[in-house]
Amino acid sequence: MKGKRVLIINRGEIAIRVAKALNELGLVSVGVWTDNETEPPHLEYCQEWVHLAGSNNKETYLDIPKIMKLIEDYKIDGVHPGYGFLSENREFSETLAKKGIVFIGPNPTAVYKMGAKDISKQVAKEAGVPVVPGSTGEVATIEEAIKIGNEIGYPVLLKAVAGGGGKGMRPCHSEEDVKNNFAAVQREALSGFGYAGLLVEKYVLNPHHIEVQILADKKGNVYHVFERECSVQRRHQKIIEEAPSPFIGTDEAVRKAICESAVKCAKAVNYDSAGTVEFIMGEDKKFYFLEMNTRIQVEHPITEEITGVDLVANMIKAAFGEPLDFKSQDDIKIQGHAIELRICAEDPISMLPAPGKIVGFETTFPQGIRFDHCIYPKFTITPDFDPMIGKLIAKGFNREVALRKVRNALDGLVIDGIKTNMALHKVILREENFVKGHYSTNYIGTVKPQEKVAVKEDIKAFMLKVAAIEMNQVGGKA
């Protein structure tokens, strides 16, 4: 494996994370730069740089023929897609396989079966894993959707077959809601994913979003690396994650059941990489399969922190047919608690993207803090990409210590020149329900921590901060 050339078809903090793992394993990390991001920070960590021509995502990170030409020209042995873009694209993984290029991800069949929500649901059901009651396949008409809703009981969820990231789904509390929303969700699905197919599922009230990390090799070994709680979400997208789940807590029977269910799903498709099996868990701690993400997840660092397992390095080793760092499931244990905050360039109240130019960036962290990021002073955040610019991770002996550490770390993070959601995080981390671990995916909508964000800053302190930044830019002393 050493000396193999690996192309990273991604950007930002995940490209940096992948490059570090490749370098550590003795592989050659090859990063890309595009016409609308000519000095991306991840190149600093890559051993070689190549130009991926194009000024938008369709012309660059999503252009399979163009990427394949780079692979040929630069004698690439393997490709790591990171997350997003082509990371779960069956056509891309199949094209690489036909050319004898290693795809650092699962086999194409697993990508296909677990990428389609209707097929993955059937796979889980056949593997003996609980699934949310609902349609067994696509629902073509409003009448059929209403029939299913009446059979399983309202509320139900209209959900895009090819959806992801919380997009293409709407809850319906009655027949009238189904009639009013069916065509709209079809349009959203077609616009967002190029396919209008819908599913109808039972809508679990006050649910918890629990996901289980999987690692598998090419010899048929499948392991779980325990669970994460990802229930603090806005627009169905995560902003805070914890490991292990505070909702499962000390209930080891539930933990064992959900983790073993994830392994069953992975084995059912001969999974052979890192991946995440996602579940929805009700207030009664009954859980149901949601989907499988056949890639590395944004929130993988908290699992690494509580287990010591390098998920990215092991994902790379698995792709090249190398043995993993551990020999059995018993080698993987939980030690402590970890919390991750997604730091996003967005308004902390509306939670909408807020691109701009960073003019000041400083960190003063307590011991043991991890900050995976892609920013620096004068770095411009554009609307072309996801607004997440970093992940602040704290580990503690227990959840109370982890909370204390991540609060202090957040106070020691300064990002000036753009709006970020840091002020929102500060409110959540001290809010009573969150502190007690009493929250569900409805947290943002019901508790409304965004309404408690302080928007006014002491004018004197603000002017001193601006003056200090301006003096620093011209090389003076404040």
Side-chain angles (χ1 to χ4, degrees), residues 64-72 92 95-96 99 101:
I64 295 176
K66 193 176 291 182
I67 293 169
M68 294 307 297
K69 183 68 166 57
L70 277 186
I71 288 169
E72 181 181 350
F92 185 50
T95 302
L96 291 171
K99 295 289 185 180
I101 307 299

Side-chain angles (χ1 to χ4, degrees), residues 195-259:
Y195 187 67
L198 299 185
L199 302 173
V200 177
E201 292 182 348
K202 179 71 176 176
Y203 187 54
V204 180
L205 295 173
N206 298 317
H208 289 257
H209 187 136
I210 310 291
E211 60 186 30
V212 177
Q213 177 68 55
I214 290 296
L215 260 179
D217 60 22
K218 293 190 179 298
K219 298 176 178 64
N221 298 305
V222 181
Y223 308 96
H224 71 77
V225 197
F226 295 102
E227 87 285 355
R228 299 184 286 255
E229 171 108 23
C230 309
S231 298
V232 179
Q233 305 175 2
R234 47 97 172 99
R235 298 189 301 279
H236 298 285
Q237 294 178 318
K238 309 160 191 172
I239 57 173
I240 298 178
E241 298 99 354
E242 299 191 56
S245 162
F247 182 62
I248 293 178
T250 58
D251 195 333
E252 293 303 324
V254 171
R255 176 166 290 113
K256 181 179 180 182
I258 197 170
C259 290

Side-chain angles (χ1 to χ4, degrees), residues 73 127 232 281 333 377:
D73 290 347
V232 179
M281 183 177 283
K333 302 183 185 302

Side-chain angles (χ1 to χ4, degrees), residues 280-323:
I280 190 169
M281 183 177 283
E283 293 176 324
D284 55 3
K285 290 191 178 178
K286 289 183 179 178
F287 59 86
Y288 307 95
F289 171 83
L290 270 182
E291 62 183 357
M292 185 173 190
N293 290 310
T294 57
R295 53 174 167 80
I296 197 71
Q297 289 275 86
V298 171
E299 56 273 20
H300 75 271
I302 51 176
T303 295
E304 294 182 328
E305 292 299 314
I306 66 164
T307 62
V309 175
D310 188 322
L311 295 174
V312 178
N314 277 281
M315 182 184 192
I316 295 165
K317 293 176 75 172
F320 282 97
E322 297 286 323

Side-chain angles (χ1 to χ4, degrees), residues 17 225 228 243-244 299-311 333-340 367-372 392-397 402 405:
R17 175 71 183 90
V225 197
R228 299 184 286 255
E299 56 273 20
H300 75 271
I302 51 176
T303 295
E304 294 182 328
E305 292 299 314
I306 66 164
T307 62
V309 175
D310 188 322
L311 295 174
K333 302 183 185 302
I334 295 175
Q335 292 186 320
H337 193 94
I339 299 174
E340 174 180 291
Q367 182 68 23
I369 296 300
R370 174 174 169 180
F371 187 38
D372 289 12
L392 189 62
I393 304 115
K395 178 191 176 182
F397 180 77
K405 281 182 171 290

Side-chain angles (χ1 to χ4, degrees), residues 156-200:
V156 298
L157 191 68
L158 297 180
K159 185 176 180 181
V161 167
K167 299 175 183 176
M169 59 175 67
R170 291 192 190 184
C172 299
H173 296 268
S174 64
E175 289 186 16
E176 195 65 27
D177 278 355
V178 174
K179 292 176 184 177
N180 293 336
N181 287 294
F182 193 86
V185 179
Q186 281 186 319
R187 288 193 298 271
E188 288 174 9
L190 185 61
S191 172
F193 311 107
Y195 187 67
L198 299 185
L199 302 173
V200 177

Side-chain angles (χ1 to χ4, degrees), residues 314-376:
N314 277 281
M315 182 184 192
I316 295 165
K317 293 176 75 172
F320 282 97
E322 297 286 323
L324 302 179
D325 290 342
F326 41 85
K327 304 295 184 185
S328 72
Q329 184 65 59
D330 291 339
D331 293 337
I332 308 170
K333 302 183 185 302
I334 295 175
Q335 292 186 320
H337 193 94
I339 299 174
E340 174 180 291
L341 311 179
R342 297 195 188 192
I343 307 300
C344 302
E346 62 184 36
D347 186 282
I349 299 175
S350 69
M351 291 171 278
L352 294 175
K357 186 175 182 179
I358 294 173
V359 297
F361 171 52
E362 296 289 343
T363 59
T364 308
F365 293 150
Q367 182 68 23
I369 296 300
R370 174 174 169 180
F371 187 38
D372 289 12
H373 68 93
C374 60
I375 59 179
Y376 56 84

